[in-house]
Amino acid sequence: QVQLVESGGALVQTGGSLRLSCAASGRTFSSSAMGWFRQAPGKEREFVTAISKSGFSTTLAESVKGRFAISRDNAKNAVYLQMNSLKPEDTAVYYCAAGRTYSKRSYDYNYWGRGTQVTVSS
C-alpha cells in the first residue's frame, strides 16, 4: 500500500515557476512507477508526465514538453514536478499517482493523492 500527499501548489503569474512535491509512505514506493495528472474545471483528468521505478525513463505530454520535468528520489520516498514558463492553461488540480506500470493512462495507477491546486494568472 502506498499513500501519497502532494504539496507546493500556489497562485503564480504567467511565466512563473513552481515545484510540486509528492511525499509517499509505504515500503512499496521504490517498486512503483509514478505519474502526475491534472484536472481543470469542466475538463477531464489528463496525463502530464510519468517516471519509471528507477527514474531512468520519463515521458511528457506534448503540452508541457520543454517546460515541465519529473524526477524522483527513492531514498526520500518522493517525486517532484518542476514547472517552468507557466501558462494560464496549466491551471488545474495536480495529482500524484503510483502504480505497477509506467503508463500515460490514469487507470494504470492504483494509488492517488488528493491533489494540490495550481493557478496561473494572466
Side-chain angles (χ1 to χ4, degrees):
Q1 184 177 2
V2 178
Q3 292 180 304
L4 307 172
V5 180
E6 303 94 336
S7 63
L11 171 64
V12 299
Q13 294 182 330
T14 297
S17 298
L18 280 176
R19 182 178 173 86
L20 305 185
S21 298
C22 176
S25 62
R27 295 187 298 274
T28 60
F29 176 78
S30 62
S31 64
S32 298
M34 302 295 297
W36 285 97
F37 294 78
R38 66 187 182 185
Q39 187 167 21
K43 299 180 65 177
E44 294 185 348
R45 179 175 51 188
E46 67 172 339
F47 169 78
V48 177
T49 183
I51 190 167
S52 63
K53 293 182 293 184
S54 66
F56 186 75
S57 299
T58 62
T59 187
L60 293 163
E62 188 67 29
S63 61
V64 303
K65 190 175 297 182
R67 300 188 298 119
F68 289 12
I70 188 172
S71 62
R72 69 187 296 163
D73 187 338
N74 287 350
K76 296 181 178 180
N77 281 4
V79 63
Y80 308 98
L81 178 63
Q82 179 65 48
M83 305 185 293
N84 300 320
S85 301
L86 284 163
K87 305 175 181 179
E89 306 93 271
D90 297 318
T91 296
V93 176
Y94 283 71
Y95 298 92
C96 178
R100 296 179 61 186
T101 304
Y102 173 71
S103 174
K104 296 180 180 180
R105 299 178 176 182
S106 62
Y107 54 77
D108 283 330
Y109 295 87
N110 303 117
Y111 303 98
W112 294 82
R114 293 184 178 182
T116 185
Q117 177 71 48
V118 172
T119 303
V120 184
S121 64
S122 60

